[in-house]
Amino acid sequence: YRCQVSGCDKAYKNPNGLKYHNQHGHCSTAGLADTEGPESKPYVCTFMECGKRYKNLNGLKYHIEHSH
């Protein structure tokens, strides 16, 4: 189950993984509430120019271990 978003190479073993990714894996500035801005995700990946943000340190650690 592959993500259909251009430039995204994520793939999942089951449809629920893709469903979750589609709901949470891509940022969209349209429709974001103020509580979902950069302030609510203070942990930033500094690997190369990744820039992905996380609400907690464990999320960032998981991302680094599995994405880079």
Side-chain angles (χ1 to χ4, degrees):
Y1 298 90
R2 291 199 166 275
C3 180
Q4 299 297 309
V5 174
S6 178
C8 183
D9 61 352
K10 296 286 185 176
Y12 299 88
K13 293 180 181 178
N14 64 61
N16 288 332
L18 179 59
K19 180 180 177 183
Y20 183 89
H21 170 75
N22 286 332
Q23 292 173 341
H24 303 283
H26 295 285
C27 295
S28 172
T29 54
L32 282 182
D34 291 340
T35 59
E36 294 179 5
E39 306 83 29
S40 68
K41 295 184 178 182
Y43 298 94
V44 182
C45 179
T46 57
F47 184 81
M48 298 188 78
E49 293 180 4
C50 178
K52 287 197 173 187
R53 304 181 75 94
Y54 296 87
K55 292 180 182 178
N56 59 56
L57 186 56
N58 286 337
L60 176 59
K61 286 180 179 178
Y62 182 91
H63 164 75
I64 291 170
E65 290 173 6
H66 293 88
S67 297
H68 299 298

